Amino acid sequence: MTTIVTYGTFDLFHVGHVRLLKRLKALGDRLVVGLSSDEFNEVKGKQVVIPYEDRREILLACRYVDAVFEENCWDQKRGDLIREHADIFAIGDDWAGKFDELEDIAKVIYLPRTKDISTTELKTVLSYLNKEKVVEIKNVVNNLTSLVEHL
Ligand code: CTP
């Protein structure tokens, strides 16, 4: 039984997440995800859209994920890997080199990210949509105002 442990926020679950989880699971038999809590995301400077319990439910509904535990701080990884009997610690290569010190207890692997998709990018697109909507509403109000003025 080969156990793989990974970490992340997995907010606004997208295809980059699915592809990563698929490749992680293919490294062994059991994939365990350390899912960042809402509070820990604040520490990391990230504001999540989807709360922890919902992100957890979504991850557990993914066929590649076997278990989820909570990530609350930067320095819990060593203890987690020992508790989970991890053979492999793997994560996207935006973290390349950052966790090499765990090599003494597990194989550390950085996988290439899927291009052109991220939660940050999705949040940006959504905020543009909001701005477009505001412009649309302002136009309607202006049209109504001029209509009333001409009554
Ligand atoms: N990931 C990936 N390909 C992407 C986006 C994310 O392989 N296009 C991986 C990350 O490298 C990480 C895991 O998915 O191992 C969880 O990443 P997370 O930070 O939750 O997702 P992002 O979309 O990168 O979110 P953000 O933009 O907020 O950093």
Side-chain angles (χ1 to χ4, degrees):
M1 163 79 80
T2 301
T3 296
I4 306 108
V5 171
T6 192
Y7 290 83
T9 300
F10 298 94
D11 192 21
L12 298 176
F13 197 70
H14 58 68
V15 73
H17 295 147
V18 174
R19 289 180 187 160
L20 178 86
L21 294 168
K22 185 177 184 178
R23 284 178 289 150
L24 289 172
K25 176 74 171 189
L27 295 172
D29 308 297
R30 181 171 164 264
L31 174 60
V32 185
V33 180
L35 179 62
S36 305
S37 66
D38 298 341
E39 295 74 21
F40 185 46
N41 273 298
E42 275 176 33
V43 173
K44 291 197 284 184
K46 276 190 191 183
Q47 207 195 346
V48 287
V49 178
I50 311 292
Y52 177 85
E53 283 305 328
D54 292 357
R55 287 183 285 119
R56 178 173 185 275
E57 194 174 330
I58 291 165
L59 274 180
L60 287 171
C62 174
R63 71 173 71 175
Y64 309 116
V65 176
D66 296 290
V68 172
F69 63 81
E70 199 168 299
E71 183 192 24
N72 293 303
C73 61
W74 291 111
D75 57 7
Q76 70 183 70
K77 292 190 178 65
R78 183 168 289 274
D80 293 339
L81 294 184
I82 293 166
R83 184 192 66 242
E84 297 294 337
H85 304 288
D87 302 284
I88 298 172
F89 169 95
I91 197 161
D93 62 4
D94 38 329
W95 294 99
K98 295 269 163 48
F99 301 111
D100 290 353
E101 83 273 6
L102 298 168
E103 281 280 9
D104 59 331
I105 50 168
K107 190 173 177 190
V108 177
I109 298 175
Y110 304 101
L111 294 175
R113 282 169 67 92
T114 299
K115 285 195 177 67
D116 301 328
I117 178 98
S118 73
T119 300
T120 306
E121 203 166 307
L122 289 176
K123 284 181 186 166
T124 307
V125 171
L126 288 173
S127 76
Y128 282 145
L129 290 181
N130 276 343
K131 277 179 200 146
E132 277 172 25
K133 202 83 206 153
V134 169
V135 171
E136 218 174 276
I137 292 167
K138 274 186 183 159
N139 287 340
V140 171
V141 170
N142 286 340
N143 287 343
L144 277 174
T145 311
S146 64
L147 239 173
V148 169
E149 278 166 2
H150 287 95
L151 279 179

